[in-house]
C-alpha cells in the first residue's frame, strides 16, 4: 500500500510536468521571456522535480539500500532550490532595493554552511517503520540550521511579497503570486516540521501541498502568460516624433490615453532633444538612455526621418525587440505619408498608431 502511494505521487508529478511542457509548447508564441528568466525557470523546474523524486525515493521503502543517498540529495537540492528561487524572486521584485544583495548573500552563506555539514557521511541514521523510512539527525546543529534557514526563507518571501506588491505592473498577477507564495511557504514549513517530527502525516501533507503549488503555477502560466514578459516592469510613455521635432504620436500607459505635445513632461522633452541633436549620426537600431530610476529606449529611422521613444521602469531585451518591431511596421504602414512630408505636418494621419501599440505592448495594457 505504501509503495502504491509513492507511485501515485510520482505519477501525479509526472502528469503535472507533462502538462507544463505541453502548455508551453502549444502556447509558445505567447511566451517570449528574457534569457535570464528562461534559464532560471528551467533550472528551477529541474531542481523542483529532482527534489520531489529524491524525497519520495528517500522516505518510502522503494530502494532501502540506497535510500540514505536519496535523502542526502533531497536535502541538498531542497536547500539549493529555495535559495536560488528566493534570490531570483527578490532580485526581480525589488530591482531598486539596496539591501537585496545583502539578504541574498546571507542566505547563500547559510546554505553553504548546511551543505558543508552534509559532506559528513554520519549526519543521519535511518530506520524502517511500516514501510516508511525514518531519519534521525546525528548532528542536531544541522537540523537547527536547516529549520532556521527554511523559516527565514518563508519570512523573507512573505515580507518581499507584501512590500513589493506595488511593484507589480499587473496587480492581478501580483495577487496570484500572493497565493503562490503562501502555498510555497506552507510547503517549506511542512517540510521543516517533517524534519523535526518524522511524522508520516506531515510528510504526506508536505507532498500534497508541494504538488498543489506546482499545479497552481501551471494555472498562473495559462491565466497570465504575461508573467514571462512583464512581471514587475512598467511602461510610462511611448512617443513617435519627426526629426523636425514635431510630435507624430504619443501614448501614456499610466493614464491609458493618447497625449498631446503640450502635456509632455520635461524628462521626455530632454530625451527627445538628445535624440534630435544626434539624429544625423544614428543608425537604425534600438539605443538606450540610462536614467536614475527609468530607462529610455528609442529606435530611429534615418531614411524616413522619424524616431520612436519608450520610457519604462526597466529596460530589457523584450522591450527592445518590441520597439524595433513597432518601428518596422510603423514605417510600412506610414511609408507614403512619411516619404511625402513637406512643410507643415498633419499629425492626425498617425492616429491609427494605437493599433500598433496594442499589438506590440499588449501585455502592458492588461
Amino acid at each position: 500500500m505504501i509503495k502504491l502511494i509513492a507511485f501515485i505521487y510520482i505519477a501525479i508529478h509526472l502528469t503535472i510536468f507533462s502538462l507544463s511542457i505541453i502548455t508551453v509548447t502549444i502556447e509558445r508564441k505567447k511566451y517570449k521571456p528574457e534569457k535570464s528568466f528562461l534559464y532560471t525557470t528551467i533550472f528551477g523546474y529541474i531542481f523542483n522535480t529532482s527534489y520531489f523524486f529524491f524525497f519520495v525515493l528517500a522516505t518510502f521503502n522503494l530502494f532501502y539500500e540506497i535510500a540514505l543517498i536519496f535523502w542526502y540529495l533531497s536535502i541538498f537540492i531542497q536547500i539549493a532550490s529555495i535559495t536560488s528561487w528566493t534570490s531570483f524572486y527578490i532580485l526581480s521584485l525589488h530591482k531598486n532595493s539596496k539591501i537585496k544583495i545583502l539578504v541574498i548573500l546571507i542566505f547563500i552563506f547559510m546554505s553553504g554552511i548546511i551543505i558543508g555539514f552534509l559532506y559528513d557521511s554520519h549526519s543521519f541514521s535511518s530506520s524502517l517503520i511500516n514501510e516508511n523510512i525514518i531519519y534521525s539527525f546525528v548532528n542536531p546543529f544541522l537540523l537547527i540550521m536547516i529549520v532556521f534557514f527554511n523559516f527565514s526563507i518563508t519570512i523573507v518571501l512573505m515580507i518581499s511579497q507584501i512590500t513589493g506588491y506595488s511593484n507589480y505592473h499587473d496587480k492581478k498577477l501580483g495577487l496570484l503570486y500572493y497565493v503562490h507564495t503562501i502555498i510555497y511557504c506552507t510547503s517549506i514549513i511542512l517540510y521543516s516540521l517533517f524534519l523535526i517530527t518524522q511524522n508520516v502525516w506531515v510528510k504526506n501533507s508536505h507532498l500534497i501541498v508541494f504538488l498543489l503549488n506546482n499545479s497552481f503555477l501551471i494555472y498562473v502560466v495559462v491565466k497570465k502568460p504575461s508573467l514571462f514578459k512583464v512581471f514587475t516592469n512598467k511602461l510610462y510613455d511611448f512617443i513617435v516624433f519627426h526629426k523636425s521635432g514635431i510630435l507624430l504620436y504619443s501614448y501614456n500607459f499610466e493614464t491609458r490615453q493618447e497625449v498631446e505635445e503640450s502635456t509632455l513632461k520635461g524628462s521626455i522633452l530632454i530625451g527627445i532633444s538628445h535624440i534630435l541633436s544626434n539624429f544625423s549620426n544614428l543608425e537604425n537600431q534600438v539605443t538606450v538612455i540610462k536614467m536614475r530610476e527609468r530607462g529610455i529606449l528609442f529606435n530611429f529611422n534615418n531614411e524616413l526621418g522619424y524616431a520612436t521613444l519608450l520610457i519604462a521602469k526597466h529596460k530589457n531585451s523584450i522591450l527592445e525587440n518590441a520597439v524595433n518591431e513597432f518601428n518596422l511596421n510603423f514605417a510600412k504602414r506610414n511609408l507614403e505619408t512619411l516619404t511625402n512630408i513637406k512643410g507643415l505636418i498633419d499629425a492626425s494621419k498617425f492616429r491609427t498608431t494605437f493599433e500598433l501599440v496594442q499589438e506590440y505592448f499588449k501585455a502592458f495594457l492588461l
Side-chain angles (χ1 to χ4, degrees), residues 101-330:
I101 300 300
L102 176 61
V103 173
I104 292 171
L105 288 176
I106 291 174
F107 282 140
I108 293 175
F109 176 73
M110 292 174 63
S111 62
I113 294 177
I114 294 171
I115 292 172
F117 276 113
L118 289 176
Y119 276 105
D120 185 354
S121 59
H122 303 290
S123 296
F124 309 99
S125 62
S126 62
S127 58
L128 187 61
I129 302 177
N130 297 326
E131 296 300 312
N132 289 290
I133 304 175
I134 305 300
Y135 295 91
S136 299
F137 282 77
V138 176
N139 184 351
F141 183 72
L142 176 58
L143 173 61
I144 294 171
M145 281 294 299
I146 294 175
V147 172
F148 177 76
F149 177 77
N150 286 343
F151 276 91
S152 298
I153 286 285
T154 60
I155 292 172
V156 169
L157 282 174
M158 289 306 303
I159 292 176
S160 296
Q161 177 63 26
I162 293 170
T163 58
Y165 178 72
S166 59
N167 294 331
Y168 283 95
H169 161 74
D170 186 338
K171 298 305 180 186
K172 291 183 179 179
L173 177 61
L175 290 174
L176 290 175
Y177 264 96
Y178 254 120
V179 177
H180 160 65
T181 302
I182 292 171
I183 299 174
Y184 186 67
C185 289
T186 301
S187 175
I188 295 175
I189 291 171
L190 288 170
Y191 172 76
S192 301
L193 292 177
F194 171 70
L195 293 181
I196 297 171
T197 65
Q198 293 293 306
N199 182 277
V200 174
W201 291 104
V202 175
K203 176 184 72 176
N204 286 296
S205 298
H206 163 62
L207 290 172
I208 291 170
V209 174
F210 185 94
L211 291 173
L212 176 63
N213 180 61
N214 283 5
S215 301
F216 182 76
L217 285 177
I218 294 180
Y219 171 77
V220 174
V221 170
V222 173
K223 191 74 176 179
K224 288 288 182 181
S226 61
L227 77 91
F228 286 97
K229 299 180 182 179
V230 296
F231 197 51
T232 64
N233 210 348
K234 185 177 183 180
L235 302 189
Y236 298 103
D237 291 280
F238 187 76
I239 303 162
V240 184
F241 56 94
H242 192 259
K243 64 180 180 181
S244 63
I246 300 299
L247 179 71
L248 302 181
Y249 180 82
S250 179
Y251 183 82
N252 183 280
F253 284 90
E254 293 182 289
T255 63
R256 304 294 176 89
Q257 294 179 347
E258 296 172 333
V259 181
E260 296 181 1
E261 185 173 13
S262 59
T263 60
L264 291 180
K265 300 175 183 179
S267 59
I268 300 175
L269 296 175
I270 291 173
I272 293 176
S273 298
H274 174 85
I275 299 173
L276 291 174
S277 64
N278 296 279
F279 208 100
S280 60
N281 299 320
L282 300 177
E283 299 176 359
N284 295 354
Q285 60 182 3
V286 174
T287 302
V288 177
I289 299 176
K290 292 185 178 179
M291 297 180 67
R292 184 175 179 180
E293 295 184 354
R294 299 186 183 185
I296 298 181
L297 297 87
F298 60 88
N299 186 301
F300 23 83
N301 188 312
N302 279 322
E303 184 178 349
L304 297 177
Y306 76 94
T308 54
L309 180 147
L310 173 66
I311 299 180
K313 189 174 183 179
H314 312 292
K315 68 96 178 176
N316 56 37
S317 59
I318 293 174
L319 290 181
E320 291 178 9
N321 291 334
V323 171
N324 184 58
E325 291 178 10
F326 171 93
N327 218 33
L328 292 173
N329 282 276
F330 181 82

